[in-house]
Amino acid sequence: MKKIIIGNWKLNLDHLEAIQLLQKINYSLPKNIEDKIEIVLSPSFTSIRSLQTVISSDKLKIKLSSQNVSQFASGAYTGEVSASQLKKLEIDYAIVGHSERRTLFNEVDSEINIKVNKLIDSDIVPIFCFGESTEERKNGSYLTFIENQINEGLKGLRKDKVKKLIVAYEPIWAIGTGEVASLEDIVDVLDYVKNIISKKPFFNNDIIKFIYGGSVSPDNAKSILNLSIVDGALVGGASLDAIKFVDIIKAVEL
Ligand code: PGA
């Protein structure tokens, strides 16, 4: 399966800086690597249109993701951005249920589930994030916690509608901390989650990617990305540095 590397720029860069970083990343990529590895950038809403214009005029093969989407389709919801608005901007992916949305903005599983469904209806691939906190990891309840996030977040998805899905294990204790999960932790959790998802009616091995996120860097990328169960990475901090991000991409053994 083609691996995927997603750069989550979070709340960083204005649209001019975002264009510069896109161009630097594109310039540093090995020739035609996008045919073998899916490369996705997830900028702020304010940069999406600018990046999309550069991508389409320069015919780049880099794809775009949003960092969030509204659970609503339209109407009196000040500050929200809908899936259909994103689709018009030729967005292919959207991150949903990131732990920063869950913990800082109180997003709950039921809301995340609506967002996943809205994205699928708009033909945008959800990058569905899940993962436990230090507390659940320490008290040993993390697998039950994760199972619940998966069951609630991916509830009711229909086989005839799900064309692609990215499922991202992002342990909260590993995000932005420099403390990367061990290879054993990553394999254990992804194995566990794959087993749960393989029983769902929408499951199809060819369309679901299982990825890891949390302090991925050029130093640890090779060992993580070449695990057979890992189909890619969601990269935060290191994706703001073109050289580091491209080094992560180059760590994938082709
Ligand atoms: P990080 O962030 O790579 O900076 O740990 C990952 C993420 O939040 O997706």
Side-chain angles (χ1 to χ4, degrees), residues 30-45:
K31 206 167 167 8
N32 294 330
I33 189 105
E34 305 93 325
D35 297 337
K36 299 181 191 117
I37 301 169
E38 180 90 343
I39 299 169
V40 182
L41 296 175
S42 189
S44 298
F45 285 132

Side-chain angles (χ1 to χ4, degrees), residues 74-112:
S74 65
Y77 302 105
T78 303
E80 293 288 280
V81 175
S82 74
S84 61
Q85 288 175 321
L86 291 171
K87 187 64 196 174
K88 272 270 186 253
L89 288 171
E90 292 168 23
I91 282 279
D92 287 300
Y93 295 90
I95 298 174
V96 64
H98 190 281
S99 69
E100 285 150 17
R101 303 281 336 153
R102 293 177 188 261
T103 55
L104 303 172
F105 301 98
N106 306 315
E107 270 188 25
V108 293
D109 291 320
S110 53
E111 185 180 346
I112 291 164

Side-chain angles (χ1 to χ4, degrees), residues 7-124:
N8 176 10
W9 290 350
K10 307 193 181 185
L11 179 46
N12 294 291
L13 313 177
D14 60 38
H15 71 288
L16 299 175
E17 294 164 332
I19 291 172
Q20 272 182 353
L21 183 53
L22 164 70
Q23 284 169 332
K24 196 161 176 201
I25 289 170
N26 180 57
Y27 173 81
S28 314
L29 284 173
K31 206 167 167 8
N32 294 330
I33 189 105
E34 305 93 325
D35 297 337
K36 299 181 191 117
I37 301 169
E38 180 90 343
I39 299 169
V40 182
L41 296 175
S42 189
S44 298
F45 285 132
T46 50
S47 300
I48 289 178
R49 175 71 173 144
S50 312
L51 295 196
Q52 181 252 325
T53 306
V54 174
I55 286 174
S56 106
S57 63
D58 294 356
K59 299 193 173 48
L60 308 187
K61 288 183 259 175
I62 293 172
K63 303 280 169 49
L64 289 177
S65 168
S66 70
Q67 297 175 14
N68 190 17
V69 64
S70 179
Q71 61 175 305
F72 303 108
S74 65
Y77 302 105
T78 303
E80 293 288 280
V81 175
S82 74
S84 61
Q85 288 175 321
L86 291 171
K87 187 64 196 174
K88 272 270 186 253
L89 288 171
E90 292 168 23
I91 282 279
D92 287 300
Y93 295 90
I95 298 174
V96 64
H98 190 281
S99 69
E100 285 150 17
R101 303 281 336 153
R102 293 177 188 261
T103 55
L104 303 172
F105 301 98
N106 306 315
E107 270 188 25
V108 293
D109 291 320
S110 53
E111 185 180 346
I112 291 164
N113 180 245
I114 297 172
K115 293 182 175 194
V116 170
N117 278 288
K118 279 267 178 313
L119 290 169
I120 290 172
D121 286 345
S122 292
D123 206 16
I124 296 173

Side-chain angles (χ1 to χ4, degrees), residues 8 10 98-100 170 174-178 213-216 234-238:
N8 176 10
K10 307 193 181 185
H98 190 281
S99 69
E100 285 150 17
E170 294 221 310
I175 297 178
T177 57
S215 296
V216 174
L234 183 49
V235 184

Side-chain angles (χ1 to χ4, degrees), residues 171-183:
I172 298 175
W173 44 271
I175 297 178
T177 57
E179 191 192 338
V180 67
S182 70
L183 300 183

